[in-house]
Amino acid sequence: QVQLVDSWGGLVQAGGSLRLSCVASGRTFSSYAMGWFRQASGKEREFVAAISWSGGTTVYADSVKGRYTISRDNAKKTVYLQMNRLKPEDRDVYYCAADRTIATLESGDWGQGTQVTVSS
């Protein structure tokens, strides 16, 4: 099991950038795939991006491809989500997740979530 703490999100203007981070505790972080999901009020949670334990594989939702970059630093037990060219529709609560594989992230461990607000 991995405990996750999401960084503070924030408010940014459309077209701007923001970087989220998620710090894990536990000895096995480097063996876990990590991912980011987001959820707007009243809507289903949706996948945003994921990265394999080694960092060698990354996957993105079509809606963020080319704008977002997921990365990890296993020495710091941290996963990052760099968000560029933000749009008002990117406004959501973002959650990081961890599990053994990218495919099973939704059934793994979760951070507490952080609000990202994009003003138009």
Side-chain angles (χ1 to χ4, degrees):
Q1 188 177 12
V2 178
Q3 290 75 45
L4 305 171
V5 177
D6 297 328
S7 66
W8 184 255
L11 169 65
V12 63
Q13 286 189 325
S17 298
L18 195 63
R19 188 175 80 159
L20 303 181
S21 61
C22 174
V23 180
S25 59
R27 292 175 292 177
T28 57
F29 172 80
S30 60
S31 64
Y32 277 71
M34 300 292 297
W36 290 93
F37 293 75
R38 64 186 183 185
Q39 187 171 23
S41 179
K43 293 188 177 181
E44 296 280 321
R45 184 173 57 203
E46 66 172 356
F47 169 78
V48 175
I51 188 167
S52 62
W53 67 271
S54 67
T57 300
T58 55
V59 183
Y60 296 92
D62 288 342
S63 58
V64 306
K65 202 171 292 183
R67 300 188 299 122
Y68 287 17
T69 302
I70 188 171
S71 62
R72 66 189 295 160
D73 184 333
N74 285 345
K76 295 182 179 180
K77 296 185 178 181
T78 302
V79 63
Y80 304 97
L81 185 67
Q82 177 67 44
M83 305 183 291
N84 298 328
R85 291 184 280 135
L86 282 160
K87 305 175 182 179
E89 53 263 42
D90 293 320
R91 170 185 178 155
D92 278 323
V93 178
Y94 284 71
Y95 299 87
C96 69
D99 204 49
R100 292 293 184 181
T101 70
I102 289 176
T104 59
L105 278 171
E106 288 200 85
S107 60
D109 299 309
W110 291 88
Q112 81 280 9
T114 187
Q115 177 71 53
V116 171
T117 302
V118 184
S119 62
S120 56

